[in-house]
Amino acid sequence: MSRRFLFVLGSTRAEGNTESLARKAAEQLPADTEQRWIRLAERPLPDFVDLRHDSDHVRPPSDTPAGELLDATLAATDIVIASPLYWYSVSGPTKNYLDHWSGWLRTPGIDFKATLAGRTLWGIAALADSEPSVADPYVGTLNNSAAYLGMRFGGVLLGSGSKPGDVLEDTEALAHAKTFFAQDAPLARFPYETAGA
C-alpha cells in the first residue's frame, strides 16, 4: 500500500514554528508520497458533544469540516498531529479533533477503530522550552491514543521555538526532521504494558 500522509495543523497561528518543522520533515518524504495538509483553524470543528448514552452518532456530511476531517483521517496511512505545545499538551483545536474520534468510534458504517488499526500516528511540536521532558504529557496523549486504536506510533519530533522562525535555528531538530519519517514506527503500547519490558 502506498503511503498517504495527513498533516493536521493544530496551531492557532498560520506558518508558525510547528508547521515549519513539519514541512521540513515532509520535504524528506519520497516525491510520490501523497500529502494532505489541513489547518484546523481554517476548518473549525464544532465542540465535541458526547452522545454515547443519548443517541446514535450520524456520519457528518463530507462537505462539512467534520466530514472532511473524518474522510481524510480514514484515507490516511499516516496521521501527523502537528500541534505546538500548549500548556504541556496539544492545542485546543487538536484536542477537539481527537475528541471527535470518540464520536467516530461509534458512528455506524465506518468501523473507525478497525480502519485505523495498524496505521501510524506521528507528532510534531514546537515548544518554548529547552527541556524536552516538559512535553511528556503531549507525547503520552498521542501514544495512548495510538495504543487504544491499535496503531503504530512514530514518536514526536520536538523543536525549540517561541517567535516565528525560531525553530529554523534549532539545528538538532532540523537534523532529526531529515530522518523522522524514515524510522520504523512500532506498535503503540500503554506505559503499563511496557513497564516490565
Side-chain angles (χ1 to χ4, degrees), residues 69-91:
L69 271 163
L70 171 58
D71 292 345
T73 301
L74 292 172
T77 61
D78 295 78
I79 300 167
V80 184
I81 300 295
S83 166
L85 189 74
Y86 285 4
W87 284 104
Y88 310 105
S89 190
V90 297
S91 68

Side-chain angles (χ1 to χ4, degrees), residues 131-156:
E131 175 48 61
S133 67
V134 301
D136 287 352
Y138 180 113
V139 176
T141 292
L142 298 188
N143 175 79
N144 293 349
S145 298
Y148 178 76
L149 291 170
M151 299 178 73
R152 298 183 176 280
F153 182 53
V156 177

